[in-house]
Amino acid sequence: MNITTTARDFEMSRAIDSFAREQLDAMLQPFSDSIVSIDVFMKDANGPKGGIDKEVLIRVHLRNRQQIALQSTHENLYACLLYTSPSPRDI
C-alpha cells in the first residue's frame, strides 16, 4: 500500500506526515490487498490568519479501478486527518 502525502500553503512537519501515514496504515491494513495507493492532500486555506481552515482530501485508489475520496475541514490538522480517514465500511 503506497501512501503519498502533499502539503499546500504550509510546510508539512515530519510529525504530521508520520501521523497521517500511521493512521491510514493502521486503519486500512486489513484491506491492503484491495488498495493500490492512497493520496493525502493537506491545505491551510487561510494561512496564518487561523480559523477553521485546515483542509484534508484523502483519495484511496482500489484495485478494481474505483476511487474513494473523503474531504473535511477543521481548525486542527490532526483532528482533520482523523475525521477524514476512511473507515472499513468505506472500502
Side-chain angles (χ1 to χ4, degrees), residues 1 3 11 13 21 29 31 39 44 63 69 74 80 85-86:
M1 190 165 48
I3 301 173
E11 189 171 332
S13 68
R21 290 173 187 276
Q29 189 60 41
F31 307 99
D39 299 321
D44 187 355
R63 294 218 182 273
H74 198 276
C80 197
S85 294

Side-chain angles (χ1 to χ4, degrees), residues 12-56:
M12 181 173 24
S13 68
R14 285 186 182 166
I16 288 285
D17 183 59
S18 294
F19 181 79
R21 290 173 187 276
E22 290 169 8
Q23 194 70 23
L24 290 167
D25 190 50
M27 292 178 114
L28 300 177
Q29 189 60 41
F31 307 99
S32 63
D33 290 342
S34 301
I35 298 171
V36 174
S37 64
I38 301 171
D39 299 321
V40 182
F41 302 95
M42 297 172 260
K43 180 180 178 182
D44 187 355
N46 292 337
K49 295 178 189 173
I52 302 175
D53 65 339
K54 309 304 186 278
E55 298 174 1
V56 172

